[in-house]
Amino acid sequence: MSRYADLSRDELAVLVPELLLVGQLIDRSGMAWCIAELGRDEMLRIAIEEWAAASPIYTRRMQQALGYAPETPGRGDVVTIFKGLQLDIGAPPQFMDFRYTVHDPHHGEFRLDHCGALMDVEPMGPDYVTGMCHDIEDPTFDATAIASNPKAQVRPIHRPPRVPADRSPHCAWTVVIDESHPDAEGIPALAVNQASHAATLELAPIDATDDGASDYSGPLVSDLDFASFSRSALVRIADEVCLQMHLLDRAFTIALEKRCPDEQVLRLRRQQLVGIAGVGAMRIARALGISHDEDGARRLLALHPLLNPAAYVDTGLAHDDGAWVSLCGPAWTDALAAIAQALDPHLDVVVETAAEGSLRLDDVAVVRRPEPAPERKEVAVVRFSTGTDFAFEERRSLPITPV
């Protein structure tokens, strides 16, 4: 049973885009520490390997879950690719404001009217912008397309550094599927990640009799209206988005293990986790109006991606994968505490019953301390992102037809 099944349909429609944005902010946490310890060039290589070893897996998972997988595996069209981007933590709605044009099944374009990632990186200077918008995007866009059609190529029309400085849209790209294109191939780490429990986890099927849309098999729309999905579909989407985060973190770990000793890998992973735990908790709590007390903290822990999906975490599969929860336990509760302290700095957590490496939600107790905890430096790093306070707006969901 999914822990998200306890939420109403309206709550889930609010939560799902929040989870997508939380997933995007993972790199605002992890990559900052990679730059500090390994330098900018190594950070770029890690980011490329991280996304290329995760996005093809979770993109296929979402295609299957929501019924828009191509009839012939690996022969999806541009609509298949664009639907995948709309449900990808690499492209959370509005924060990464993708606008799509479909010319025909094999030709399309997209532009970003707003790129939150660019807003975060642009103040750091043109070298960092080029690193993200050229060095990282070139291989990772094609890697994402592998999940739909290895003959797809994503190529820039224009992209940052912006000239002039206020150029809009922030970037624009073509997507072309052509049988003459060489097949895009996955990196070696992709096969390693594909063998994880997160990649192959079976989740409960969507109940097609539930009120609302049970899939995304219809036309591509300009902006997904999450409220149009059924409660059952939204529960599945929420669990899938959490698995996206775990797959991304697993790919991050694989990239680190190639470069770093075990102690450094552990330190960088924990720094990444504390940052995203705290900022993710802030956004989820604000979106759902969670109370700032012990009961609220327990609810927030139950909804946080660190401890979801329940079918992954509570079964021990997440521990076997070395997922986020495996980093936590009686001797190290910083990430769990960061979640509770997003509500009130006086709150803390204790883990008394779990052995190291076997923590579950029921093992975590929320307590109140007389003195407030200071904000953790890992959380402060992520709060630098404009995604921390980004506000979603209501939009009309319109079908996109070929032009």
Side-chain angles (χ1 to χ4, degrees):
M1 172 66 74
S2 170
R3 278 191 272 274
Y4 295 124
D6 293 335
L7 298 178
S8 70
R9 184 178 173 189
D10 288 345
E11 288 174 322
L12 286 162
V14 170
L15 178 64
V16 166
E18 289 291 341
L19 291 176
L20 287 164
L21 181 48
V22 170
Q24 159 68 206
L25 296 178
I26 290 172
D27 272 1
R28 297 301 170 274
S29 184
M31 293 308 156
W33 301 103
C34 288
I35 293 170
E37 295 206 22
L38 304 172
R40 186 176 69 88
D41 290 345
E42 277 296 274
M43 177 276 294
L44 292 174
R45 297 184 188 101
I46 290 167
I48 292 167
E49 293 173 25
E50 172 197 46
W51 289 96
S55 64
I57 301 171
Y58 65 62
T59 299
R60 290 191 192 100
R61 286 191 59 97
M62 196 68 84
Q63 290 174 355
Q64 294 292 335
L66 291 183
Y68 62 91
E71 291 185 9
T72 302
R75 287 296 176 262
D77 57 13
V78 295
V79 168
T80 310
I81 294 170
F82 291 165
K83 286 182 177 180
L85 287 171
Q86 290 179 319
L87 291 156
D88 189 321
I89 58 174
Q94 300 184 29
F95 184 69
M96 307 289 286
D97 197 10
F98 281 68
R99 303 289 91 195
Y100 299 102
T101 300
V102 178
H103 298 295
D104 60 52
H106 290 167
H107 297 83
E109 298 175 14
F110 63 83
R111 68 179 192 271
L112 267 72
D113 283 354
H114 175 272
C115 178
L118 177 64
M119 298 297 96
D120 290 348
V121 172
E122 219 168 33
M124 300 169 70
D127 287 346
Y128 280 91
V129 172
T130 299
M132 181 180 72
C133 300
H134 295 244
D135 300 336
I136 295 176
E137 294 295 12
D138 283 349
T140 55
F141 267 142
D142 281 355
T144 297
I146 288 173
S148 302
N149 195 316
K151 297 292 186 181
Q153 291 185 352
V154 183
R155 298 294 180 266
I157 299 170
H158 69 82
R159 55 180 162 175
R162 291 193 286 171
V163 179
D166 59 350
R167 183 172 189 172
S168 185
H170 291 171
C171 64
W173 303 73
T174 62
V175 181
V176 176
I177 299 171
D178 192 312
E179 287 300 315
S180 69
H181 291 163
D183 282 0
E185 296 182 355
I187 64 173
L190 176 60
V192 177
N193 212 11
Q194 182 64 63
S196 67
H197 293 299
T200 57
L201 182 70
E202 289 191 21
L203 294 170
I206 296 169
D207 181 359
T209 67
D210 202 3
D211 290 341
S214 60
D215 59 39
Y216 191 13
S217 59
L220 173 72
V221 295
S222 57
D223 294 276
L224 270 182
D225 177 12
F226 290 102
S228 71
F229 285 103
S230 69
R231 184 168 171 271
S232 177
L234 289 167
V235 167
R236 178 63 183 269
I237 294 169
D239 277 339
E240 290 289 349
V241 172
C242 290
L243 280 178
Q244 291 187 17
M245 299 187 217
H246 291 298
L247 285 162
L248 190 71
D249 174 63
R250 181 64 195 137
F252 178 63
T253 303
I254 294 167
L256 289 179
E257 288 174 342
K258 288 174 53 178
R259 296 167 168 84
C260 307
D262 291 347
E263 180 276 332
Q264 189 177 28
V265 172
L266 178 61
R267 181 174 65 254
L268 288 168
R269 291 193 65 207
R270 283 180 166 173
Q271 288 171 320
Q272 177 228 53
L273 177 55
V274 172
I276 197 60
V279 171
M282 290 177 202
R283 288 205 60 96
I284 294 168
R286 184 167 58 220
L288 295 180
I290 293 176
S291 61
H292 291 205
D293 54 20
E294 289 88 335
D295 287 343
R298 283 186 282 269
R299 185 177 186 224
L300 187 54
L301 284 160
L303 297 176
H304 199 283
L306 192 164
L307 292 162
N308 284 286
Y312 184 53
V313 175
D314 292 353
T315 57
L317 297 176
H319 295 282
D320 292 345
D321 275 355
W324 278 334
V325 70
S326 70
L327 302 176
C328 306
W332 192 79
T333 60
D334 290 23
L336 298 167
I339 295 172
Q341 288 157 7
L343 296 172
D344 185 335
H346 291 87
L347 297 178
D348 199 358
V349 301
V350 293
V351 177
E352 296 178 343
T353 58
E356 291 291 343
S358 64
L359 183 143
R360 290 167 176 77
L361 178 61
D362 290 344
D363 300 320
V364 181
V366 178
V367 297
R368 180 172 290 275
R369 307 292 189 193
E371 296 297 326
E375 182 177 55
R376 297 168 192 274
K377 62 181 183 299
E378 297 92 343
V379 176
V381 165
V382 188
R383 282 174 63 86
F384 166 80
S385 171
T386 57
T388 302
D389 296 315
F390 182 82
F392 294 106
E393 62 183 27
E394 289 190 17
R395 292 189 177 180
R396 295 180 65 194
S397 183
L398 301 173
I400 296 175
T401 55
V403 296

